[in-house]
Amino acid sequence: TRPAHTTSSSTPAYMWLGRMSGRIPASARRGLSSCTRADEQGKVLHSMERLSSRLRLRGNVREGTALLHEVVNGYRHLLGVHHPHTVGSVKGLAALLYEQGALEDAEPLAREAEAGYQHCLGAMHPVTLVAQNDLSQLLYARGKVDEARVLAARCLRSAQDVLGAAHPDALAFAVNFTQILVAKGNADAAAPLLKQALDVARQTLGGAHSLTLTMISSLAQLRLAQGRVAEAEVLMREDLVASRKALGFKHPETLTSIFNLAMLLEERSQRREPAETIASASAAGEEAVLLLREHLSLKDAASKKHGPHSDLSTEVRLSALLYARARQVDPSMASGTDSTQHMHSASAATQTPTISEEATAMLEESANLARGALKARRAAHGSGCTSTIPPLSLLAHALHELGRADEAATLAVENFRLSRKLLGSTHPQTVSAMGLLLQTRAAASASERAHEETGALDGALPFGWLAGHG
């Protein structure tokens, strides 16, 4: 039997390339002009592989990915499926598809790469173990948690045996395994394993190493899952300080650290612990606002350099937090936690609310952020998408509190209709939207146009609600 690496060795390179030329992008063919008939097929493939990388670096991801597919097929044809070059190209393509979110397409390639490395390098080779870890992460991302857990546990044991528990790969595998354990609801089992790995990382890699920072962040999230909020906050603060120092203020990992700490403080401000004072919860809310403003500023700066950022969660969360903070600093605001409260009389609701200057400034900022997020999400996904509901609801609430009855009423109608259509009549968001609609309906009763807008929905509202709040 002819060895795998000599498959098709008698086929001239120019004939093989000619059969593929119809599928190679035009720019790729131009880049391969230096390859003549005398070139070996391996050189052709190597040139294509480098060209694929250059295309992707220049932003032409689609064409670069298509070319890498051809490289993989070429190595399979030329060298056989178990040759290290073939397996390496398969692994690279799987990683690329994973980054693009094409998990279903990436999975068979990741399995092929892991099996290929086992065949050509052995089950305990460090490269094989990395491929196993990558496969377990992909399976976890696809929701195949049980299979991912078994593979990750085997990978971690092998790495500790072969490389030692202090090796960076073994530490990285420990992070992956504990994340899967948490996803399976085994946070208590994952905690000591991750804590031990973090202690080793601090000693061997130092507190500023990227892997150490990842482990600190992972342990913080694990402590949150355990309900140990105070410990999680200490870890998040350590992660943020170290990330700013080691990576810089604008690094994506630093931005993630800022956002995570802000979310924890936001939660503290809204649901303070039994032993926590009102002043402490308020201070947590103030710090969360500052952190989210910093995150938004740094993200905007990055957008100007690298292009618009599609994630608008910071804008929405900051808008919601500012709205909640306004209600905290000025309890006289009309809306309570339950959006159906404070509707005992229509005459009271029609009065323009008198709120403090501090609360007004917060509401104005909240409304502006919500309006910007709503506009961006409508442009990206259309008006009938669930992602538009949060900023739409926030904008309607903020405008209602600011006394802009006509705007608030129109938005409240849209909010209720969209929530009922996409989420169902009994969904909590729909119920909340109904309460807001009834508030704005009463507040806007003096406006004929707004009253017509809300009155058109009478038949859609339960009789009990109309009888109690009409």
Side-chain angles (χ1 to χ4, degrees), residues 36-115:
T36 65
R37 296 186 180 187
D39 290 321
E40 296 291 336
Q41 294 180 16
K43 182 177 179 180
V44 176
L45 289 169
H46 184 60
S47 298
M48 292 171 64
E49 199 166 7
R50 287 187 300 172
L51 178 58
S52 170
S53 178
R54 288 199 297 270
L55 288 170
R56 287 181 276 121
L57 287 174
R58 293 173 182 173
N60 198 340
V61 177
R62 183 176 180 180
E63 195 168 308
T65 303
L67 187 57
L68 190 56
H69 272 284
E70 298 291 356
V71 170
V72 168
N73 290 332
Y75 276 130
R76 285 170 175 159
H77 180 76
L78 177 65
L79 304 174
V81 295
H82 292 137
H83 192 279
H85 287 334
T86 304
V87 180
S89 66
V90 171
K91 183 177 181 295
L93 180 56
L96 179 60
L97 293 173
Y98 179 88
E99 292 173 1
Q100 295 174 6
L103 303 184
E104 186 175 356
D105 294 332
E107 182 182 338
L109 291 167
R111 291 185 184 276
E112 179 183 346
E114 193 269 341

Side-chain angles (χ1 to χ4, degrees), residues 71-374:
V71 170
V72 168
N73 290 332
Y75 276 130
R76 285 170 175 159
H77 180 76
L78 177 65
L79 304 174
V81 295
H82 292 137
H83 192 279
H85 287 334
T86 304
V87 180
S89 66
V90 171
K91 183 177 181 295
L93 180 56
L96 179 60
L97 293 173
Y98 179 88
E99 292 173 1
Q100 295 174 6
L103 303 184
E104 186 175 356
D105 294 332
E107 182 182 338
L109 291 167
R111 291 185 184 276
E112 179 183 346
E114 193 269 341
Y117 278 129
Q118 285 207 42
H119 184 274
C120 65
L121 299 177
M124 304 297 283
H125 193 281
V127 175
T128 305
L129 297 180
V130 171
Q132 286 181 353
N133 183 68
D134 291 347
L135 177 57
S136 70
Q137 289 181 311
L138 192 151
L139 293 172
Y140 170 65
R142 290 212 65 199
K144 300 180 179 182
V145 183
D146 290 330
E147 186 180 359
R149 181 183 58 80
V150 172
L151 187 59
R154 185 170 73 240
C155 180
L156 176 59
R157 287 194 301 268
S158 299
Q160 290 174 337
D161 291 342
V162 174
L163 304 173
H167 192 279
D169 283 350
L171 295 173
F173 299 164
V175 175
N176 179 41
F177 180 52
T178 55
Q179 288 175 341
I180 296 173
L181 287 178
V182 173
K184 288 288 293 179
N186 296 330
D188 291 339
L193 175 61
L194 185 55
K195 178 65 168 60
Q196 181 182 11
L198 175 57
D199 291 341
V200 173
R202 291 186 199 273
Q203 295 172 5
T204 59
L205 303 176
H209 193 278
S210 60
L211 181 55
T212 305
L213 296 177
T214 297
M215 299 174 81
I216 294 173
S217 177
S218 297
L219 184 57
Q221 297 299 325
L222 195 155
R223 292 305 188 204
L224 274 182
Q226 292 179 302
R228 296 161 68 168
V229 181
E231 293 179 55
E233 183 176 340
V234 171
L235 288 164
M236 286 186 181
R237 291 187 183 280
E238 178 188 358
D239 176 40
L240 178 54
V241 171
S243 295
R244 282 171 169 164
K245 183 178 180 179
L247 306 175
F249 282 70
K250 298 180 181 180
H251 192 278
E253 295 299 328
T254 305
L255 294 179
T256 299
S257 299
I258 294 172
F259 189 82
N260 287 342
L261 179 57
M263 292 302 96
L264 182 145
L265 293 171
E266 178 194 21
E267 183 71 13
R268 266 189 53 197
S269 71
Q270 300 297 319
R271 301 179 183 178
R272 63 179 185 272
E273 299 295 321
E276 191 168 24
T277 64
I278 294 177
S280 176
S282 178
E286 290 177 6
E287 187 179 0
V289 169
L290 293 175
L291 286 170
L292 285 177
R293 282 174 175 159
E294 179 188 0
H295 185 274
L296 185 59
S297 174
L298 293 172
K299 192 180 73 169
D300 287 345
S303 297
K304 291 177 182 178
K305 183 176 181 180
H306 302 291
H309 201 288
S310 60
D311 182 11
L312 297 165
S313 56
T314 306
E315 289 85 340
V316 175
R317 296 305 290 263
L318 180 54
S319 173
L321 183 55
L322 286 166
Y323 177 81
R325 290 286 298 153
R327 288 186 53 245
Q328 288 175 345
V329 301
D330 193 337
S332 66
M333 284 174 54
S335 295
T337 302
D338 183 349
S339 60
T340 66
Q341 294 176 352
H342 307 288
M343 291 297 298
H344 299 299
S345 69
S347 60
T350 59
Q351 298 175 0
T352 301
T354 302
I355 55 179
S356 67
E357 291 185 4
E358 183 181 6
T360 299
M362 290 182 179
L363 289 172
E364 291 283 3
E365 186 178 356
S366 174
N368 290 335
L369 287 165
R371 195 187 303 277
L374 177 61

Side-chain angles (χ1 to χ4, degrees), residues 441 450-459:
R441 170 194 174 98
H451 191 54
E452 289 176 356
E453 285 274 4
T454 55
L457 290 182
D458 279 358

